Amino acid sequence: MTVTAIVGANWGDEGKGKMTDALAGNSSFVVRYQGGSNAGHTIINGYGKFALHMLPSGVFYPNIMNVIGPGTALDVDVLLRERAELLARGVPEPRIRVSDRAQIVLPVHRLFDELEEERLGEAGFGSTKRGIAPFFADKYAKLGIQVADLYDEERLMQRLEQSLAAKNVLLVQLYNREPIQARELLAQLKVQAEKLLPYVCDTSSLLHDAYRKGESILLEGQLGALRDPDHGIYPYSTSSSTLAGYAPIGAGLPPYAITRIIAVVKAYSSCVGAGPFVSELHGAEADQLRRLGGDAGEFGALTGRPRRMGWFDAVASRYGCMLQGATEVALTNLDVLGYLDEIPVCTGYELDGEIIEDSFPVTAKLNGAKPILQRLPGWRSDISQIRRFDELPEAAQQYVRFVEASIGVKVGSVSVGPNREQLIMC
């Protein structure tokens, strides 16, 4: 019985979509269990280049069941639009199931996200404005709308009126906007409900049955450990747990089901959004790494914002892998570093005259931390066509071994390009 979680060890943008797509071919199920449409997983395969925000990354395999679990913030419009875009580009009809217990991201959630980020101005948190924080605020205030509520009009109307009561006061008094009428929102949701109905089921029972039968299940995480609201760089975090420990909860599986946790780590650092970033680069050095990174430069898959760039951060990566409980690491984007004679890596932080290597400071202290850099030899060559570890240049092998030693977790695979096939199994 194989249940594997694929999660990020850093700030997100590590390459989880590529790894999920690459491993999905040997799986029966791919499950989104947390987050929503607020981040994108970029995938390049025989059908082209895609950025998925709501659909699981197994949708390119017609035999795989792709599940939206109950822990997910479901944006129905994004899900349906992504499915239509896949079909328009020649991808076979994907198999999709949506939990009847998943909760819905409403238009009012997106509106409040935009209004609040606008109100905060420079003090904002770098929101993607997909309604995620207002959605989770409603979820834990018990004002959320479950998928099952869409098919009970009387209950749905009652839930909407409860949810809008306080929101309309804020809209009028704080944001100087017109109130939202529950009846108008109801009409929009009824249209969504009809389109969504063919995919709705009890996904927890579906996955429990698959688990008992020993079928292979991939749990696809969003963002990374440093964006976790409890253990990350709060308040510059997302609103749901990004850790593998949450995966069985958000998917609806037993806590002991996961036997393999792959933490995805980038060979350098990048992030989209605000918050402390100790190894961050600036100016021409950052621009060059950004231009050469990713598959077409390092820009947010959802926002298009230039990613903030930095060197590999051993302190942050060690901490992220520890939080994730990683059983192995997938090291991505190693090929990008082939332009350097020497490769700087951050091995520790200097904070108030103290050297920190074995712990990750709380957010309140991170802004005062300075990176301690070590330089490793570069390999000055294109490694994107190599498929065996022992065929990598010696300096590239040394770099992988350094990452492995610095985070204390075995590197099980190395990505040397954005395509599915550009993967070396170690």
Side-chain angles (χ1 to χ4, degrees):
M1 293 183 284
T2 304
V3 180
T4 299
I6 299 178
V7 291
N10 299 119
W11 299 266
D13 307 313
E14 299 98 344
K16 296 178 294 297
K18 184 252 175 79
M19 292 306 304
T20 304
D21 177 61
L23 298 177
N26 296 319
S27 301
S28 300
F29 293 80
V30 175
V31 185
R32 280 287 309 275
Y33 61 86
Q34 51 86 218
S37 65
N38 55 315
H41 286 178
T42 301
I43 295 171
I44 300 176
N45 54 35
Y47 297 106
K49 178 181 175 181
F50 300 84
L52 299 178
H53 307 290
M54 196 73 254
L55 287 174
S57 296
V59 289
F60 301 99
Y61 297 88
N63 59 311
I64 290 175
M65 186 65 75
N66 295 273
V67 176
I68 304 291
T72 310
L74 174 63
D75 191 318
V76 179
D77 286 338
V78 174
L79 183 145
L80 295 173
R81 183 170 65 246
E82 287 186 350
R83 172 191 167 273
E85 290 171 353
L86 294 183
L87 297 180
R89 294 178 60 184
V91 178
E93 177 73 59
R95 301 173 70 198
I96 302 169
R97 293 293 181 269
V98 175
S99 171
D100 52 6
R101 296 178 185 271
Q103 294 195 20
I104 304 293
V105 177
L106 300 173
V108 68
H109 294 142
R110 290 189 288 269
L111 174 61
F112 268 84
D113 206 352
E114 294 172 5
L115 291 174
E116 186 62 7
E117 199 72 1
E118 180 181 313
R119 185 186 71 83
L120 290 170
E122 292 185 0
F125 301 111
S127 170
T128 57
K129 302 178 184 178
R130 286 297 182 102
I132 299 303
F135 164 88
F136 279 103
D138 269 6
K139 179 174 181 175
Y140 292 110
K142 304 172 184 65
L143 294 172
I145 306 294
Q146 288 188 320
V147 168
D149 295 335
L150 298 177
Y151 306 101
D152 184 335
E153 185 170 332
E154 182 178 348
R155 175 179 171 80
L156 179 57
M157 187 64 181
Q158 179 187 32
R159 299 292 295 162
L160 288 174
E161 288 175 339
Q162 288 177 331
S163 179
L164 289 173
K167 291 182 179 63
N168 279 333
V169 174
L170 286 173
L171 282 173
V172 173
Q173 300 298 327
L174 180 61
Y175 298 114
N176 197 28
R177 296 295 185 100
E178 292 295 319
I180 295 172
Q181 302 302 317
R183 186 66 60 183
E184 295 176 6
L185 193 50
L186 177 72
Q188 297 178 43
L189 293 178
K190 287 175 67 177
V191 173
Q192 285 187 346
E194 184 177 353
K195 295 178 179 178
L196 188 66
L197 183 58
Y199 311 109
V200 175
C201 75
D202 178 355
T203 60
S204 296
S205 294
L206 177 72
L207 292 174
H208 270 263
D209 288 343
Y211 175 69
R212 284 192 295 267
K213 293 175 183 175
E215 297 184 67
S216 181
I217 300 171
L218 277 183
L219 306 178
E220 180 182 13
Q222 183 211 53
L223 295 172
L226 302 183
R227 296 295 187 185
D228 185 80
D230 297 307
H231 301 278
I233 54 171
Y234 182 87
Y236 306 99
S237 56
T238 191
S239 301
S240 63
S241 177
T242 59
L243 303 185
Y246 182 76
I249 299 170
L253 283 165
Y256 49 79
I258 301 177
T259 55
R260 185 185 184 195
I261 299 172
I262 301 174
V264 186
V265 176
K266 224 171 196 172
Y268 50 92
S269 298
S270 70
C271 79
V272 172
F277 187 17
V278 176
S279 69
E280 184 170 12
L281 299 172
H282 300 279
E285 198 173 27
D287 289 339
Q288 186 175 25
L289 182 56
R290 183 181 300 112
R291 178 172 53 84
L292 295 173
D295 61 276
E298 289 283 1
F299 299 90
L302 170 60
T303 64
R305 289 181 290 184
R307 289 181 178 136
R308 299 163 66 193
M309 307 304 298
W311 301 122
F312 172 76
D313 187 329
V315 179
S317 299
R318 186 186 306 115
Y319 176 71
C321 287
M322 178 190 75
L323 290 179
Q324 295 291 13
T327 59
E328 64 185 271
V329 159
L331 184 66
T332 60
N333 293 53
L334 184 65
D335 57 299
V336 173
L337 299 176
Y339 72 99
L340 293 161
D341 291 314
E342 290 186 321
I343 305 172
V345 291
C346 175
T347 59
Y349 300 164
E350 181 182 346
L351 181 60
D352 297 329
E354 180 185 356
I355 304 301
I356 297 173
E357 295 178 338
D358 297 326
S359 63
F360 186 74
V362 296
T363 308
K365 295 183 177 181
L366 273 174
N367 283 327
K370 298 179 181 179
I372 297 172
L373 298 179
Q374 175 182 335
R375 296 181 181 275
L376 301 177
W379 48 92
R380 294 291 296 182
S381 63
D382 179 7
I383 61 173
S384 62
Q385 302 306 312
I386 294 175
R387 298 294 179 268
R388 287 170 50 93
F389 184 79
D390 58 8
E391 293 177 358
L392 287 171
E394 180 59 32
Q397 294 184 40
Q398 289 178 8
Y399 192 89
V400 175
R401 294 190 189 105
F402 165 82
V403 170
E404 191 173 72
S406 66
I407 60 181
V409 181
K410 173 181 170 54
V411 173
S413 57
V414 177
S415 174
V416 291
N419 292 300
R420 180 188 291 170
E421 298 78 15
Q422 292 176 293
L423 192 64
I424 297 171
M425 306 309 293
C426 301

